[in-house]
Amino acid sequence: MVAFEHPHGMHPPQAQWELPFFDAHHREMAPRLADWAAEQHVDETDDRSACKDWVARLGQDGWLRYCVAAAHGGALPALDSRSLVILRETLAFHSPLADFAFAMQGLGSGAITLAGTPEQQARYLGAVATGQKIAAFALSEPEAGSDVAAMATRATPAAQGWTLDGTKTWISNGDLADFYVVFAKTEPDAGARGISAFIVDARAPGLDSREHIHVMAPHPLATLRLHACALGADALLGPLHGGFKLAMQTLDICRASVAGAALGMARRALAEAVAHAKHRKMFGQTLADFQLTQARLGEMSALIDAAALLTYRAAWQRDCSATSGAGTPAYTAAAASAKLTATENAQRVIDMALQMFGGRGVQVGQKIESLYRDIRSLRIYEGASEVQLLILGKHALRSTAS
Ligand SMILES: Cc1cc2nc3c(=O)[nH]c(=O)nc-3n(C[C@H](O)[C@H](O)[C@H](O)COP(=O)(O)OP(=O)(O)OC[C@H]3O[C@@H](n4cnc5c(N)ncnc54)[C@H](O)[C@@H]3O)c2cc1C
């Protein structure tokens, strides 16, 4: 399933949507999306303005509607993991920044979909679906990344509602978002059971988001400093002390879609490698004529296929049992398998593709060079590969009879 040259650029393969994991509405949507994505030309010189541009386009043309449920302007009755995978795979094939802009609308608003009051849902979700509001998810802290329960940000009850103090870092869409879902300790000695979620508007007094973080691939990030940040009582999202569970449920929905994004980047790398190998002349033939090249392309295809099947299985499994499935040990393990395999395999595929380009592979401005940087952080965020390995190891110990 190799991509082909489209009049407007490279087009992702479509045959995978015929797999039994997908339904008729997925098969109808995927080629429309692929055509749409191939026609977009966004200047990505500045990641912040490019991200805003992508959100506006994705909102205007209806694609952000997959980030919320139909009751709030969404495309489908409930969040659908397979649609999210198709969207992220296709967008990442064309532009990892487009994928990022899309994904953050879902991740940043997911907790409101899951646990918001009708008022909170009405205030934010419709605007997320049209791109009028940009969303962000603020969980990580300088001393609490993988170990979420170690967070130090405090939320204390105040006359008007709540006061937040602390630092959140690595926040995607930081200083760009219109609102943040912020997780803070409401019962400091209770570990994971003492965390609550809050909706913090970007203009909230006491919130400073000006400290930007620059990373190796375009990605708007910032540190949030909360100094006596005053929130109304209506800012509490979901049950008091229920924030850890809510954060994990939100990440659970998105985990298979991170795998989808990695898959999109890997497919693009394979497509670039195939196109290059067919045209590059050496030793009186083309690079593609060498068996060593064919073997490498075969290895890349197999790595992609393995990642794809695990990704689609995880998304299908969540959708088939959306109310009971998410959060169950079987789904958590399937999502961990997909995220681990797709991100690690994509890194290998992109590296193999880059090698085929020789010197051009490391030339700034080449697609394969930027993919090499784009893929790296997917092995770290939303649960590093080691965290996924531990989830899988514990699942194996629990479920395998000795
Ligand atoms: C581009 C990018 C975007 C991000 N966006 C967001 C966002 O929008 N919101 C947000 O809240 N956070 C965000 N993050 C933060 C991200 O979730 C954290 O970086 C991640 O959880 C890891 O935390 P850490 O960086 O503190 O690393 P640490 O927790 O210090 O982990 C360092 C390394 O230790 C290893 N490790 C972890 N656990 C174990 C273990 N149990 N045993 C052995 N080794 C282990 C892993 O290799 C890991 O990479 C983003 C990060 C990046 C890079």
Side-chain angles (χ1 to χ4, degrees):
M1 286 189 284
V2 170
F4 62 91
E5 285 287 343
H6 187 263
H8 300 289
M10 226 165 237
H11 212 56
Q14 297 295 308
Q16 68 273 33
W17 314 131
E18 296 304 324
L19 288 167
F21 295 111
F22 297 100
D23 294 338
H25 71 92
H26 299 122
R27 293 185 188 111
E28 183 278 322
M29 178 263 258
R32 256 192 315 114
L33 171 68
D35 285 342
W36 179 87
E39 280 160 11
Q40 307 305 308
H41 299 286
V42 169
D43 178 358
E44 296 190 346
T45 323
D46 174 64
D47 56 0
R48 288 179 174 266
S49 50
C51 188
K52 277 190 178 171
D53 191 351
W54 275 118
V55 171
R57 287 166 189 247
L58 288 160
Q60 190 180 308
D61 292 333
W63 300 112
L64 293 180
R65 292 177 61 229
Y66 288 91
C67 294
V68 308
H72 306 288
L76 298 169
L79 292 181
D80 179 71
S81 287
R82 287 166 295 171
S83 297
L84 295 179
V85 163
I86 294 171
L87 272 142
R88 294 200 60 184
E89 182 178 324
T90 306
L91 292 173
F93 182 94
H94 290 284
S95 156
L97 199 59
D99 161 60
F100 159 78
F102 172 81
M104 281 315 301
Q105 291 297 91
L107 181 64
S109 66
I112 303 178
T113 295
L114 289 172
T117 61
E119 292 74 27
Q120 288 170 332
Q121 293 184 333
R123 198 176 320 145
Y124 294 99
L125 297 182
V128 164
T130 55
Q132 283 159 315
K133 278 194 198 294
I134 295 184
F137 180 84
L139 185 67
S140 304
E141 298 189 1
E143 302 303 327
S146 308
D147 183 6
V148 173
M151 73 171 58
T153 297
R154 281 290 314 269
T156 40
Q160 87 290 355
W162 296 92
T163 302
L164 262 56
D165 288 279
T167 304
K168 293 286 168 185
T169 195
W170 303 113
I171 306 311
S172 300
N173 280 343
D175 210 28
L176 197 67
D178 294 289
F179 68 93
Y180 302 86
V181 169
V182 176
F183 296 85
K185 283 267 170 82
T186 35
E187 187 67 68
D189 300 327
R193 291 199 180 83
I195 294 170
S196 303
F198 298 87
I199 307 175
V200 180
D201 276 313
R203 289 165 304 175
L207 167 64
D208 182 350
S209 60
R210 288 171 298 174
E211 190 180 323
H212 296 184
I213 304 171
H214 300 282
V215 287
M216 61 201 280
H219 193 119
L221 283 166
T223 294
L224 309 183
R225 299 196 186 280
L226 301 144
H227 289 297
C229 177
L231 304 179
D234 60 351
L236 179 69
L237 175 60
L240 184 66
H241 310 320
F244 182 81
K245 192 172 169 205
L246 186 53
M248 294 307 124
Q249 284 174 329
T250 310
L251 290 169
D252 238 17
I253 295 177
C254 299
R255 198 155 283 136
S257 77
V258 182
L263 201 47
M265 293 184 214
R267 288 196 196 279
R268 179 61 183 263
L270 175 60
E272 295 282 343
V274 167
H276 176 72
K278 281 182 178 170
H279 292 108
R280 178 66 176 163
K281 300 264 191 312
M282 62 173 76
F283 305 111
Q285 49 186 354
T286 68
L287 183 58
D289 290 324
F290 291 95
Q291 283 192 330
L292 200 53
T293 306
Q294 292 160 20
R296 189 65 76 228
L297 292 171
E299 191 178 355
M300 291 159 80
S301 300
L303 287 167
I304 288 174
D305 268 354
L309 291 177
L310 289 176
T311 302
Y312 304 153
R313 178 189 70 168
W316 166 81
Q317 202 166 334
R318 200 204 79 86
D319 291 340
C320 288
S321 48
T323 43
S324 59
T328 62
Y331 168 70
T332 300
S337 232
K339 203 240 170 200
L340 173 74
T341 307
T343 57
E344 294 289 334
N345 285 10
Q347 183 88 63
R348 288 175 63 194
V349 167
I350 293 168
D351 187 59
M352 289 177 197
L354 187 151
Q355 190 73 9
M356 279 190 206
F357 276 79
R360 288 179 186 82
V362 291
Q363 186 180 2
V364 174
Q366 292 285 334
K367 182 68 186 172
I368 204 71
E369 179 272 339
S370 59
L371 282 171
Y372 189 77
R373 291 180 286 107
D374 288 317
I375 189 62
R376 190 63 186 85
S377 58
L378 276 71
R379 291 167 57 206
I380 297 170
Y381 64 60
E382 294 189 37
S385 292
E386 290 73 13
V387 172
Q388 309 305 332
L389 282 168
L390 287 172
I391 292 172
L392 290 167
K394 284 183 182 141
H395 181 74
L397 286 170
R398 269 196 306 267
S399 56
T400 309
S402 52

